[in-house]
Amino acid sequence: MQLEKLIHKVIKGDRRAQKLLFDKYVDRLFAVARRYAVNDELAEDALFQAFMKIYTKLPEFEYINEPALVGWLTRIVINQTLMDRRKELSTLYKVETLDEERHESSWIEEMDDGALIDLVNELPDGYRTVFLMNVVDGYAHKEIAELLGISESTSRSQFFKARQFLQKKLAQDYGQAGT
Amino acid sequence: MDKLEHRIKKAFESSDKKTSFAGKEQMWSRLDSEMHGRKGVAAFWRIAAVFLGLLLTLGVVASLNYRANQRAEMENVKHDITRLQLLVDSLQTMPTQVRTEVQVVEKEKVVYRNRVVESNVQDETIKWQQNYQQAMDSMQTIQKLNAALKAEIETLNEELIALKNQAESESPEPSQSTNPFELKSERVELGPQQKPDLSNPEMELKIFPRNFNETTNNLNKTLFKK
């Protein structure tokens, strides 16, 4: 079934189409939710609320292509997950400014996906959220600031701190950071 | 560092693709029940709205029927009014009634008695016939009386003729005129009134009886007393 027709049927309230849409994207969206949630249980709750919003707001969505739909779904899930953590996250951030440092390394390409994910997951919660939103999900600092209820400069500083943390970690574990 | 970020992104994307959500069916049943529940509520309101609409329609139909019945009843009443008006008019055109009012006064108290006498044309006719009959009877009586009078006149005439004949036969000079009561214009000159000469003493006695002492002169008594 074409995705556009599927969406049309979901909007009309077709139960079967709703199930198809759910099955198609639930795994991916659960991964997104788990990325921002503290644990799997909270991720599930956020995902449930996000799907309720998806079915409600789908008539407002203008279908262009599948990546656009995935992006729209992902944003809803992230927003829902962060909404539950907004108060908690806002206390984590302090207004700090950092000088940007750029370090490039060629060995990164050879690193294992799991090792990279574990490395990111070692980041403090505040750093990790901003870093993931910016790097993985493509949010600008302005959007991150709006979503998390912080200033744009704080978002930037958190991002660079996350970078510094990762560099230090890589230097410790692999002795190749900054090379 | 850009390379690291790019690698991290790729790592997460591939990880997302590999992720499988274990509680998929449970979550779907939760979602389904939630949405089905909402649909149930919506269905209830839909049914309620249909029911209310039906009630409203029935109400409108009932009111229209009631109005139509009222109109029909009004028409019937108007028809009855017209019929009664015609009846009243016909009664008004009937022969006039004569109302006789009799006033009776009893111990300074006025009591009115109304008696309605219906005038009857037949009674009037009978009355006229009776009057006519009475008039005819009176006419016959008058005719009879007239005939009797005529007969008496004839008899008297005959007697008169007989007396006349007798008188003619007794008198030496027959009268020239046929009318015995013919008046003649004759001037009589009377001389001065003289004391009557009563040569016959019996006559004097009759008129003025002896010992006539009355001061008043009652002629009737004098004349008709025997």
Side-chain angles (χ1 to χ4, degrees), chain B residues 180-194:
Chain B
F181 300 105
E182 189 179 359
L183 295 175
K184 292 181 179 178
S185 59
E186 190 175 10
R187 188 169 180 179
V188 178
E189 291 182 1
L190 296 172
Q193 195 169 7
Q194 292 175 354

PDB file of all heavy atoms in Angstrom, chain B residues 180-194:
ATOM      1  N   PRO B 180    -155.575  65.937   1.948  1.00  0.00           N
ATOM      2  CA  PRO B 180    -156.428  66.448   3.034  1.00  0.00           C
ATOM      3  C   PRO B 180    -155.667  67.414   3.935  1.00  0.00           C
ATOM      4  O   PRO B 180    -156.269  68.213   4.618  1.00  0.00           O
ATOM      5  CB  PRO B 180    -156.799  65.184   3.796  1.00  0.00           C
ATOM      6  CG  PRO B 180    -155.741  64.207   3.514  1.00  0.00           C
ATOM      7  CD  PRO B 180    -155.283  64.522   2.137  1.00  0.00           C
ATOM      8  N   PHE B 181    -154.302  67.293   3.910  1.00  0.00           N
ATOM      9  CA  PHE B 181    -153.519  68.145   4.820  1.00  0.00           C
ATOM     10  C   PHE B 181    -152.880  69.286   4.090  1.00  0.00           C
ATOM     11  O   PHE B 181    -151.861  69.810   4.476  1.00  0.00           O
ATOM     12  CB  PHE B 181    -152.405  67.292   5.499  1.00  0.00           C
ATOM     13  CG  PHE B 181    -152.978  66.142   6.295  1.00  0.00           C
ATOM     14  CD1 PHE B 181    -152.918  64.845   5.828  1.00  0.00           C
ATOM     15  CD2 PHE B 181    -153.606  66.398   7.516  1.00  0.00           C
ATOM     16  CE1 PHE B 181    -153.469  63.818   6.548  1.00  0.00           C
ATOM     17  CE2 PHE B 181    -154.142  65.329   8.223  1.00  0.00           C
ATOM     18  CZ  PHE B 181    -154.101  64.031   7.766  1.00  0.00           C
ATOM     19  N   GLU B 182    -153.526  69.712   3.036  1.00  0.00           N
ATOM     20  CA  GLU B 182    -152.929  70.803   2.267  1.00  0.00           C
ATOM     21  C   GLU B 182    -153.075  72.112   3.026  1.00  0.00           C
ATOM     22  O   GLU B 182    -154.146  72.480   3.484  1.00  0.00           O
ATOM     23  CB  GLU B 182    -153.616  70.910   0.911  1.00  0.00           C
ATOM     24  CG  GLU B 182    -152.915  71.865  -0.008  1.00  0.00           C
ATOM     25  CD  GLU B 182    -153.592  71.945  -1.384  1.00  0.00           C
ATOM     26  OE1 GLU B 182    -154.603  71.227  -1.591  1.00  0.00           O
ATOM     27  OE2 GLU B 182    -153.111  72.711  -2.219  1.00  0.00           O
ATOM     28  N   LEU B 183    -151.908  72.776   3.108  1.00  0.00           N
ATOM     29  CA  LEU B 183    -151.913  74.033   3.845  1.00  0.00           C
ATOM     30  C   LEU B 183    -152.160  75.183   2.902  1.00  0.00           C
ATOM     31  O   LEU B 183    -151.657  75.188   1.776  1.00  0.00           O
ATOM     32  CB  LEU B 183    -150.552  74.178   4.528  1.00  0.00           C
ATOM     33  CG  LEU B 183    -150.220  73.144   5.606  1.00  0.00           C
ATOM     34  CD1 LEU B 183    -148.814  73.321   6.097  1.00  0.00           C
ATOM     35  CD2 LEU B 183    -151.209  73.245   6.770  1.00  0.00           C
ATOM     36  N   LYS B 184    -152.933  76.117   3.427  1.00  0.00           N
ATOM     37  CA  LYS B 184    -153.203  77.301   2.624  1.00  0.00           C
ATOM     38  C   LYS B 184    -152.691  78.507   3.331  1.00  0.00           C
ATOM     39  O   LYS B 184    -152.809  78.615   4.551  1.00  0.00           O
ATOM     40  CB  LYS B 184    -154.698  77.467   2.387  1.00  0.00           C
ATOM     41  CG  LYS B 184    -155.275  76.384   1.507  1.00  0.00           C
ATOM     42  CD  LYS B 184    -156.750  76.623   1.289  1.00  0.00           C
ATOM     43  CE  LYS B 184    -157.359  75.567   0.391  1.00  0.00           C
ATOM     44  NZ  LYS B 184    -158.807  75.744   0.206  1.00  0.00           N
ATOM     45  N   SER B 185    -152.079  79.347   2.561  1.00  0.00           N
ATOM     46  CA  SER B 185    -151.591  80.589   3.150  1.00  0.00           C
ATOM     47  C   SER B 185    -152.772  81.502   3.380  1.00  0.00           C
ATOM     48  O   SER B 185    -153.418  81.970   2.457  1.00  0.00           O
ATOM     49  CB  SER B 185    -150.560  81.231   2.196  1.00  0.00           C
ATOM     50  OG  SER B 185    -151.151  81.486   0.966  1.00  0.00           O
ATOM     51  N   GLU B 186    -153.066  81.662   4.653  1.00  0.00           N
ATOM     52  CA  GLU B 186    -154.246  82.456   5.013  1.00  0.00           C
ATOM     53  C   GLU B 186    -153.908  83.302   6.217  1.00  0.00           C
ATOM     54  O   GLU B 186    -153.357  82.833   7.191  1.00  0.00           O
ATOM     55  CB  GLU B 186    -155.395  81.482   5.365  1.00  0.00           C
ATOM     56  CG  GLU B 186    -156.713  82.156   5.510  1.00  0.00           C
ATOM     57  CD  GLU B 186    -157.840  81.148   5.728  1.00  0.00           C
ATOM     58  OE1 GLU B 186    -157.542  79.936   5.944  1.00  0.00           O
ATOM     59  OE2 GLU B 186    -158.989  81.543   5.701  1.00  0.00           O
ATOM     60  N   ARG B 187    -154.177  84.503   6.050  1.00  0.00           N
ATOM     61  CA  ARG B 187    -153.871  85.402   7.154  1.00  0.00           C
ATOM     62  C   ARG B 187    -155.116  85.542   8.005  1.00  0.00           C
ATOM     63  O   ARG B 187    -156.180  85.917   7.529  1.00  0.00           O
ATOM     64  CB  ARG B 187    -153.446  86.756   6.589  1.00  0.00           C
ATOM     65  CG  ARG B 187    -152.938  87.684   7.634  1.00  0.00           C
ATOM     66  CD  ARG B 187    -152.293  88.881   6.993  1.00  0.00           C
ATOM     67  NE  ARG B 187    -151.794  89.788   7.981  1.00  0.00           N
ATOM     68  CZ  ARG B 187    -151.150  90.931   7.727  1.00  0.00           C
ATOM     69  NH1 ARG B 187    -150.962  91.251   6.447  1.00  0.00           N
ATOM     70  NH2 ARG B 187    -150.714  91.729   8.700  1.00  0.00           N
ATOM     71  N   VAL B 188    -154.887  85.260   9.289  1.00  0.00           N
ATOM     72  CA  VAL B 188    -156.024  85.361  10.223  1.00  0.00           C
ATOM     73  C   VAL B 188    -155.702  86.486  11.191  1.00  0.00           C
ATOM     74  O   VAL B 188    -154.685  86.503  11.840  1.00  0.00           O
ATOM     75  CB  VAL B 188    -156.200  84.041  10.993  1.00  0.00           C
ATOM     76  CG1 VAL B 188    -157.333  84.170  11.987  1.00  0.00           C
ATOM     77  CG2 VAL B 188    -156.473  82.913  10.035  1.00  0.00           C
ATOM     78  N   GLU B 189    -156.620  87.344  11.297  1.00  0.00           N
ATOM     79  CA  GLU B 189    -156.431  88.452  12.223  1.00  0.00           C
ATOM     80  C   GLU B 189    -157.303  88.219  13.436  1.00  0.00           C
ATOM     81  O   GLU B 189    -158.524  88.091  13.350  1.00  0.00           O
ATOM     82  CB  GLU B 189    -156.816  89.780  11.567  1.00  0.00           C
ATOM     83  CG  GLU B 189    -155.839  90.172  10.483  1.00  0.00           C
ATOM     84  CD  GLU B 189    -156.222  91.538   9.876  1.00  0.00           C
ATOM     85  OE1 GLU B 189    -157.225  92.140  10.323  1.00  0.00           O
ATOM     86  OE2 GLU B 189    -155.490  91.981   8.969  1.00  0.00           O
ATOM     87  N   LEU B 190    -156.531  88.115  14.455  1.00  0.00           N
ATOM     88  CA  LEU B 190    -157.231  87.868  15.712  1.00  0.00           C
ATOM     89  C   LEU B 190    -157.507  89.195  16.404  1.00  0.00           C
ATOM     90  O   LEU B 190    -156.654  90.069  16.434  1.00  0.00           O
ATOM     91  CB  LEU B 190    -156.385  86.985  16.601  1.00  0.00           C
ATOM     92  CG  LEU B 190    -156.112  85.576  16.078  1.00  0.00           C
ATOM     93  CD1 LEU B 190    -155.125  84.891  16.960  1.00  0.00           C
ATOM     94  CD2 LEU B 190    -157.400  84.781  15.998  1.00  0.00           C
ATOM     95  N   GLY B 191    -158.653  89.292  16.988  1.00  0.00           N
ATOM     96  CA  GLY B 191    -158.993  90.497  17.726  1.00  0.00           C
ATOM     97  C   GLY B 191    -158.533  90.409  19.141  1.00  0.00           C
ATOM     98  O   GLY B 191    -157.819  89.464  19.498  1.00  0.00           O
ATOM     99  N   PRO B 192    -158.827  91.295  19.935  1.00  0.00           N
ATOM    100  CA  PRO B 192    -158.389  91.263  21.335  1.00  0.00           C
ATOM    101  C   PRO B 192    -159.023  90.102  22.061  1.00  0.00           C
ATOM    102  O   PRO B 192    -160.170  89.710  21.783  1.00  0.00           O
ATOM    103  CB  PRO B 192    -158.849  92.620  21.891  1.00  0.00           C
ATOM    104  CG  PRO B 192    -159.880  93.105  20.946  1.00  0.00           C
ATOM    105  CD  PRO B 192    -159.682  92.491  19.635  1.00  0.00           C
ATOM    106  N   GLN B 193    -158.190  89.541  22.994  1.00  0.00           N
ATOM    107  CA  GLN B 193    -158.624  88.340  23.714  1.00  0.00           C
ATOM    108  C   GLN B 193    -159.733  88.690  24.657  1.00  0.00           C
ATOM    109  O   GLN B 193    -159.650  89.654  25.434  1.00  0.00           O
ATOM    110  CB  GLN B 193    -157.440  87.758  24.492  1.00  0.00           C
ATOM    111  CG  GLN B 193    -157.697  86.389  24.935  1.00  0.00           C
ATOM    112  CD  GLN B 193    -156.431  85.731  25.461  1.00  0.00           C
ATOM    113  OE1 GLN B 193    -155.404  86.370  25.605  1.00  0.00           O
ATOM    114  NE2 GLN B 193    -156.556  84.470  25.793  1.00  0.00           N
ATOM    115  N   GLN B 194    -160.812  87.826  24.557  1.00  0.00           N
ATOM    116  CA  GLN B 194    -161.950  88.055  25.387  1.00  0.00           C
ATOM    117  C   GLN B 194    -162.177  86.877  26.279  1.00  0.00           C
ATOM    118  O   GLN B 194    -161.716  85.777  26.038  1.00  0.00           O
ATOM    119  CB  GLN B 194    -163.202  88.253  24.487  1.00  0.00           C
ATOM    120  CG  GLN B 194    -163.124  89.536  23.699  1.00  0.00           C
ATOM    121  CD  GLN B 194    -164.304  89.647  22.745  1.00  0.00           C
ATOM    122  OE1 GLN B 194    -165.118  88.729  22.586  1.00  0.00           O
ATOM    123  NE2 GLN B 194    -164.457  90.813  22.114  1.00  0.00           N
TER     124      GLN B 194
END
